[in-house]
Each structure stands twice: as C-alpha cells, then as structure tokens.
Amino acid sequence: QAYDGFQKGANQADANGGHGGLRTGPKRKVALLLAYNGEGYQGLQKNPDAITIEEVLANAIHSVGGISDDNHGTLQKVWWSRA
C-alpha cells in the first residue's frame, strides 16, 4: 500500500538494499500534540522494564509505518524529542 509517498511491504527490504521498513521518500519532521491519561503506565519517558506512554506511542507509529524497522527502538535515530 502506498501512503503519502511512502510504501510499506514485505518486498521493501529487497527493493532498498536489504533495509527493512520504509525506505522510499524523504525523512520528514512532524509534531504531535497529545493528551493522555497516564493510568496504567509508568510515566511518559521510555524506561527499561516499564510500560510508558513514549514506548507505546513509538510502537504505534512504527506499526503504521511512520518509523522504519531500522530506526525502531532507538528514538535518537528519528530525532525524537519532548517539549
């Protein structure tokens, strides 16, 4: 499926030199403004062995193709920041 100039699919790894996930189109900066109920989470910032808002959000963005397989799990690679 194509979405906004990006493609995600099983064949992307072969089409992009062995890299998994999204590899077509330029990287883009985006801003998200969100509010959340922190009940059931152990804070906002990602911490080892804790369920956090940041981890759940990053996993959700990855699952819809917004963070490539190569960059998932290392938020510094996508210039993730909080304000």
Side-chain angles (χ1 to χ4, degrees), residues 22-61:
L22 300 175
R23 301 316 269 161
T24 60
K27 286 187 178 182
R28 299 176 186 190
K29 290 185 179 182
V30 297
L32 299 175
L33 175 64
L34 63 112
Y36 62 92
N37 177 348
E39 186 176 337
Y41 296 93
Q42 297 170 306
L44 171 69
Q45 190 171 352
K46 189 174 177 181
N47 290 301
D49 302 320
I51 299 171
T52 64
I53 298 294
E54 190 170 74
E55 180 179 13
V56 171
L57 183 59
N59 288 340
I61 294 169

Side-chain angles (χ1 to χ4, degrees), residues 56-69:
V56 171
L57 183 59
N59 288 340
I61 294 169
H62 173 256
S63 73
V64 297
I67 298 175
S68 71
D69 292 344

